Amino acid sequence: MAKLVSSTYGSALFDLAKEEDCIDLMLEEVKTVRQIFAQNAELTKLFHHPKIAKEEKISVMEAIFKGRISDHLTGFLVLIVEKDRYNEIDSIFQYFIDAVYEYKNIGVAYVTSAKELSREQQKAVFERLLQVTKYVNFDMHFNVDHSLIGGMVIRIGDRVVDSSIRTKLGELQKELLKIQLA
């Protein structure tokens, strides 16, 4: 059900952004609003509270965002509150972001390395990914996991390239366990 809600509302927001020719602006605003909700637990509690009337929630939403973000997104947020869909707001926004990235041919890459990569190394990974994929740009996320020992793991969607030493050692261990000694 939540997936249907997020796709319905997320695609409606995307269609509106396309129709109004404001995809880039709407994307930035959605990311900002999403971050505001994530950082303000009290705000989330307020919108989830069953004893606070919808009218009050709507006036709070308008007081926070009206004039600071586009009227289109403010109206969308009010609609979310009116339809009691606030619980799905994050998944709706994620669906919208994914739709924009697909439309603009932007990939999302998660790169995990054993040690922090320098700017030059990050740039080299970015450029290599542009060469070997269909994407024209990437939203890059770099992380460090010391347990990899060396190498890196790159995840783009459901594809994973694992060149970590930890994985290579695990594969070697499996092969060694298969060997029968006479």
Side-chain angles (χ1 to χ4, degrees):
M1 175 76 170
K3 200 166 197 129
L4 179 63
V5 169
S6 65
S7 66
T8 302
Y9 284 85
S11 56
L13 185 59
F14 177 71
D15 291 343
L16 173 67
K18 256 180 31 180
E19 185 179 301
E20 296 294 322
D21 195 29
C22 62
I23 291 175
D24 292 332
L25 172 66
M26 190 76 74
L27 177 63
E28 289 309 310
E29 288 182 345
V30 163
K31 286 180 177 181
T32 301
V33 170
R34 190 178 190 201
Q35 187 176 15
I36 289 168
F37 287 142
Q39 292 174 346
N40 293 290
E42 294 301 316
L43 191 60
T44 301
K45 284 181 188 176
L46 175 112
F47 287 111
H48 283 99
H49 201 288
K51 292 188 179 181
I52 298 176
K54 277 186 196 179
E55 294 76 25
E56 284 184 62
K57 292 177 183 179
I58 290 170
S59 66
V60 167
M61 188 73 80
E62 287 177 334
I64 293 170
F65 295 111
K66 195 165 190 141
R68 292 181 178 90
I69 60 174
S70 66
D71 290 342
H72 296 302
L73 189 54
T74 303
F76 183 80
L77 291 170
V78 168
L79 178 71
I80 294 293
V81 173
E82 286 174 348
K83 299 290 185 184
D84 286 325
R85 297 297 186 197
Y86 185 77
N87 289 339
E88 289 92 11
I89 191 94
D90 195 58
S91 60
I92 291 168
F93 282 167
Q94 186 60 54
Y95 187 93
F96 171 78
I97 292 168
D98 293 344
V100 170
Y101 281 6
E102 184 177 323
Y103 178 76
K104 296 182 75 134
N105 209 13
I106 299 171
V108 179
Y110 296 90
V111 179
T112 306
S113 57
K115 64 177 189 152
E116 183 119 13
L117 299 177
S118 68
R119 290 221 186 271
E120 295 82 27
Q121 290 170 321
Q122 290 179 359
K123 185 178 180 196
V125 170
F126 173 78
E127 289 173 358
R128 182 68 180 142
L129 289 176
L130 288 176
Q131 292 172 358
V132 299
T133 64
K134 65 178 181 168
Y135 299 109
V136 296
N137 200 356
F138 274 97
D139 182 6
M140 302 292 292
H141 301 271
F142 291 96
N143 298 307
V144 175
D145 180 357
H146 298 290
S147 72
L148 295 180
I149 304 170
M152 65 179 66
V153 177
I154 300 173
R155 184 172 62 84
I156 301 170
D158 59 354
R159 295 178 14 214
V160 177
V161 176
D162 188 343
S163 66
S164 68
I165 293 177
R166 177 181 65 190
T167 298
K168 292 185 186 320
L169 286 174
E171 291 169 357
L172 181 62
Q173 180 183 20
K174 287 178 188 175
E175 289 299 316
L176 288 173
L177 289 174
K178 290 180 185 176
I179 296 175
Q180 295 291 323
L181 297 176

